[in-house]
Amino acid sequence: MPPDSRTTSTERPMRADARRNYDRILAAAAEAVAEHGAEASLEEIARRAGVGSATLHRHFPSRQRLLEAVFRGKVEALCDTAVDLAAGPDPGRALASWLGAVARHAVSNRGLAAAMMRGAHDGDPALGATCHSMITDAGAGLLARAREANAARADVSITDLLKLVNAICLAVEQEPDAGAQAERLLGLALTGVHP
């Protein structure tokens, strides 16, 4: 089996037991990242998945590969959310709702985005970069619609908005109910403090 046994169009499909192990590792990693952040113990992830450390490393030869797999599914869900929201009648509300979803994602995956971007800069530039592009593209479409409806300023970029979301999430990630706190502060940032 190749070091990274995720199935691609050029690889043969995984055996059923290998697929089950892969899926259990991903689920355990998602739980561990939500609880302990991106530096969650790989040994703990293997234990939760009911596999040995060698099995974990056979599927994911590095922490970055595992984080990318965990992150990708969540990013794909955020992109799907952007598509669903874009079909709605209020582009400004759609953008704000999507940024709220990004904030919930960020606080529920403490340190994951930062770890992925560190990996993109430190080693394999493909790690994290694809997910970052997916999020940026999804948000840019919503922002463009909001601008057309005069619901967003012309001088605001999607990068500005994502930095704002990340800053808010970093500020509240250790607080109880961080998701609600992040959404409240994001709402204040997007609408101001005027009643």
Side-chain angles (χ1 to χ4, degrees):
M1 190 176 306
D4 184 358
S5 58
R6 292 175 290 179
T7 302
T8 67
S9 59
T10 60
E11 294 176 0
R12 63 190 160 114
M14 277 191 237
R15 294 184 332 249
D17 62 330
R19 171 50 69 187
R20 281 190 302 274
N21 286 341
Y22 180 89
D23 292 342
R24 285 198 314 250
I25 293 166
L26 273 182
E31 286 177 12
V33 167
E35 291 174 22
H36 305 290
E39 297 303 318
S41 162
L42 294 179
E43 291 77 21
E44 172 66 13
I45 292 169
R47 186 191 64 71
R48 285 183 185 202
V51 301
S53 182
T55 299
L56 183 144
H57 289 290
R58 190 169 33 257
H59 287 286
F60 303 101
S62 70
R63 176 182 297 275
Q64 289 302 118
R65 294 270 183 212
L66 178 58
L67 293 176
E68 171 79 8
V70 169
F71 198 45
R72 182 173 296 278
K74 295 171 186 287
V75 168
E76 288 169 352
L78 283 173
C79 292
D80 291 344
T81 298
V83 170
D84 293 344
L85 289 168
D90 185 343
R93 184 177 303 272
L95 177 62
S97 294
W98 184 75
L99 291 170
V102 172
R104 286 188 304 278
H105 162 76
V107 296
S108 69
N109 296 287
R110 294 181 300 122
L112 189 56
M116 291 309 306
M117 292 318 295
R118 237 188 347 264
H121 296 299
D122 294 345
D124 183 348
L127 290 174
T130 301
C131 289
H132 179 74
S133 295
M134 290 167 64
I135 289 174
T136 302
D137 292 346
L142 290 171
L143 178 58
R145 286 189 70 241
R147 277 195 195 120
E148 289 171 10
N150 291 320
R153 292 172 28 175
D155 65 336
V156 173
S157 72
I158 192 60
T159 302
D160 294 335
L161 293 174
L162 292 172
K163 284 179 183 177
L164 176 66
V165 169
N166 283 331
I168 289 170
C169 292
L170 283 172
V172 301
E173 74 178 4
Q174 299 300 324
E175 294 183 21
D177 203 12
Q181 289 287 341
E183 284 191 83
R184 186 182 71 75
L185 291 174
L186 179 61
L188 284 173
L190 294 176
T191 61
V193 295
H194 300 289

